[in-house]
């Protein structure tokens, strides 16, 4: 049997490599340079061009570019009218921002448990957590896989809730043949460099509802309007505007927008390569009895942002930390997505306790995120597989 590096073998890789990395090319550099040499660094033509492009890609009627994915979630909650005393249901297996957006508005996040197989929010658990105070559901497309949107929409219609998809992972993913950005009441995106396409920092919200669109544009820019139909009286002159809500400065710059437009030109390529890598991983890991792969619902045609592998602790003599360290010794630097949000001290101070979502907590104990990004070579992929195989075999119980 091949000895893992941690047990004295030779590492699979001689240099460290990481779980994610952005991919930029000459077209991206030229796009940014073009804006730097133009008149408008922000609030210029690239923002409009980007918003139109996001509409074309997602099939949504409206798109609003913002400064990051967290700002996108915040303005989506504001546009949904979430405030003091409201409850917002979300999953704990996500980045903290998916719940923090409710807290920003004075509302209380309520955590629903996950589906054991897909690891996405379980619609039945969402239903069980609806109360008279529930205002919205923030459903996260975890790792890029679409949630069960039909079931979630049904629950939201029955209880008059706003459905927000946190699509930070799912740019390029389709549900029943439709891009995820056109289905929920609002879908938010993040363009942080670890995501499938990047603008350095950046985010967007898509919607088909003109009233939500109007509120999104207000809240992302100070609550200020130049639209006479929204003003308290007729404009005093061309300089005149009014602040009608308390909004924020969540604008994206044209520099970022130009980079993102150029990145989105490559989305199909990025998506195809990610699907190839995921297929190869799934094929290899399905044959290893000590690990489990994420199951997919047939409705989701997934562009995967993260590849999360689950170990079976009962079939191994090491735990997740042991597996993570063993991969590190092979120079494969993994990560863990995610620590359940309510484990954090800030949430504990608010009164949340361990035990809320048993399936999510068990998942967290057993997962690690393997490298997955566009520029990975076939050799990189095979190296990761070989490392997982030798560690699983060596520490098999
Ligand atoms: C990255 C991410 C966010 C936040 O996006 P930022 O652009 O970093 O603010 C929100 N939700 C999820 C699930 C994410 O992965």
């Amino acid at each position: 049997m091949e000895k893992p590096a941690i047990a004295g073998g030779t590492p699979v890789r001689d240099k460290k490599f990481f779980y994610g990395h952005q991919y930029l090319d000459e077209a991206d550099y030229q796009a940014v340079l073009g804006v730097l040499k133009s008149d408008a660094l922000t609030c210029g033509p690239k923002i409009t061009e980007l918003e139109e492009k996001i509409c074309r890609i997602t099939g949504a009627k409206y798109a609003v570019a913002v400064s990051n994915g967290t700002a996108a979630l915040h303005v989506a909650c504001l546009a949904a009218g979430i405030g003091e005393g409201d409850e917002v249901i979300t999953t704990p297996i996500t980045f903290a921002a998916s719940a923090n957006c409710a807290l920003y508005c004075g509302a209380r996040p309520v955590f629903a448990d996950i589906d054991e197989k897909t690891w996405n929010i379980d619609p039945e658990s969402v239903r069980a957590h609806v109360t008279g105070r529930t205002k919205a559901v923030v459903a996260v497309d975890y790792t890029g896989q679409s949630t069960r949107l039909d079931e979630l929409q049904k629950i939201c219609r029955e209880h008059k809730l706003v459905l927000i998809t946190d699509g930070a992972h799912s740019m390029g993913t389709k549900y029943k043949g439709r891009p995820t950005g056109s289905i929920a009441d609002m879908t938010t995106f993040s363009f942080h460099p670890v995501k499938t396409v990047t603008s350095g920092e950046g985010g967007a919200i898509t919607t088909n509802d003109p009233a939500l669109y109007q509120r999104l544009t207000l809240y992302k820019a100070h609550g200020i309007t130049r639209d006479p139909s929204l003003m308290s009286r007729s404009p005093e002159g061309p300089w005149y505007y009014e602040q009608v809500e308390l909004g924020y400065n969540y604008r994206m710059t044209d520099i970022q927008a130009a980079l993102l437009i150029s990145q989105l030109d490559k989305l199909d390529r990025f998506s195809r390569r990610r699907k190839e890598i995921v297929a190869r991983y799934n094929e290899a890991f399905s044959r290893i009895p000590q690990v489990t792969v994420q199951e997919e619902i047939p409705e989701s045609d997934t562009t995967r942002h993260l590849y999360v592998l689950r170990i079976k602790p009962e079939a191994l003599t090491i735990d997740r930390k042991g597996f993570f360290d063993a991969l590190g010794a092979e120079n494969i630097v993994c990560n863990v997505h995610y620590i359940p949000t309510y484990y954090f001290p800030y949430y504990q101070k608010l009164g949340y306790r361990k035990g809320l979502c048993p399936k999510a907590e068990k998942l967290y104990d057993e997962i690690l995120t393997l490298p997955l990004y566009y520029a990975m070579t076939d050799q990189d992929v095979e190296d990761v597989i070989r490392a997982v195989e030798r560690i699983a075999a060596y520490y098999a119980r």
Side-chain angles (χ1 to χ4, degrees), residues 68-71 73 94-95 97-98 140 166 168-169 190-192 195 201-202 305 338:
N68 56 64
T70 304
L73 283 162
T94 182
F95 183 61
S98 315
V140 180
D166 179 346
H169 298 182
S190 163
F191 307 114
H192 181 278
K195 315 286 156 110
E201 294 276 359
H305 154 57
Y338 291 93

Side-chain angles (χ1 to χ4, degrees), residues 25-37 258-259 262:
D25 62 11
E26 195 54 37
D28 295 328
Y29 308 143
Q30 289 308 321
V32 169
L33 209 56
V35 175
L36 292 179
K37 292 177 174 172
L259 174 54
S262 177

Side-chain angles (χ1 to χ4, degrees), residues 136-366:
V137 175
V138 176
V140 180
D141 291 336
Y142 174 63
T143 76
Q145 177 177 197
S146 172
T147 57
R148 294 182 191 275
L149 279 164
D150 279 353
E151 284 96 318
L152 291 171
Q153 273 185 319
K154 187 159 173 279
I155 296 165
C156 288
R157 279 203 201 102
E158 269 170 42
H159 298 276
K160 297 201 165 39
L161 312 177
V162 179
L163 179 58
I164 300 171
T165 286
D166 179 346
H169 298 182
S170 62
M171 180 51 85
T173 292
K174 296 191 174 90
Y175 177 80
K176 291 190 169 175
R178 290 165 67 195
T180 53
S182 62
I183 302 172
D185 295 310
M186 289 177 274
T187 303
T188 66
F189 294 100
S190 163
F191 307 114
H192 181 278
V194 299
K195 315 286 156 110
T196 301
V197 288
T198 187
S199 52
E201 294 276 359
I205 312 98
T206 54
T207 184
N208 292 327
D209 181 330
L212 287 174
Y213 172 67
Q214 189 174 70
R215 298 238 282 278
L216 291 167
T217 52
L218 265 184
Y219 283 116
K220 81 146 188 190
H222 310 281
I224 283 174
T225 185
R226 289 178 183 277
D227 177 352
S229 74
L230 299 178
M231 290 182 188
S232 61
R233 57 200 178 94
S234 54
E236 289 165 14
W239 68 88
Y240 191 75
Y241 57 80
E242 282 187 355
Q243 186 193 335
V244 295
E245 295 286 352
L246 182 59
Y248 298 81
N249 179 358
Y250 283 161
R251 289 188 304 251
M252 180 189 268
T253 65
D254 279 53
I255 307 166
Q256 292 163 312
L259 174 54
L260 188 53
I261 291 166
S262 177
Q263 285 266 299
L264 285 169
D265 286 338
K266 293 182 274 287
L267 179 60
D268 286 344
R269 240 163 81 200
F270 287 173
S271 182
R272 238 178 293 129
R273 180 62 182 150
R274 283 174 178 269
K275 284 179 182 174
E276 270 169 24
I277 298 169
V278 169
R280 176 71 190 110
Y281 274 164
N282 281 346
E283 175 196 29
F285 300 142
S286 299
R287 283 195 247 110
I288 305 177
Q290 293 80 17
V291 300
T292 317
V293 303
Q294 183 180 9
E295 282 187 30
E296 290 221 352
I297 54 170
E299 294 87 348
S300 181
D301 172 6
T302 306
T303 295
R304 203 80 81 85
H305 154 57
L306 296 172
Y307 192 90
V308 174
L309 185 71
R310 181 171 197 170
I311 64 157
K312 289 184 189 156
E314 67 282 5
L316 288 160
T317 59
I318 50 173
D319 61 5
R320 188 267 311 279
K321 172 78 164 48
F323 214 104
F324 182 96
D325 291 343
L327 279 165
E330 306 293 346
N331 282 322
I332 296 165
V333 182
C334 298
N335 207 320
V336 173
H337 297 93
Y338 291 93
I339 303 165
T341 309
Y342 59 79
Y343 277 19
F344 294 125
Y346 186 81
Y347 278 82
Q348 294 283 306
K349 267 193 299 189
L350 294 177
Y352 295 86
R353 291 290 172 262
K354 286 193 181 183
L356 279 179
C357 301
K359 291 177 194 164
E361 295 183 12
K362 187 161 186 325
L363 180 75
Y364 166 62
D365 287 339
E366 300 176 357

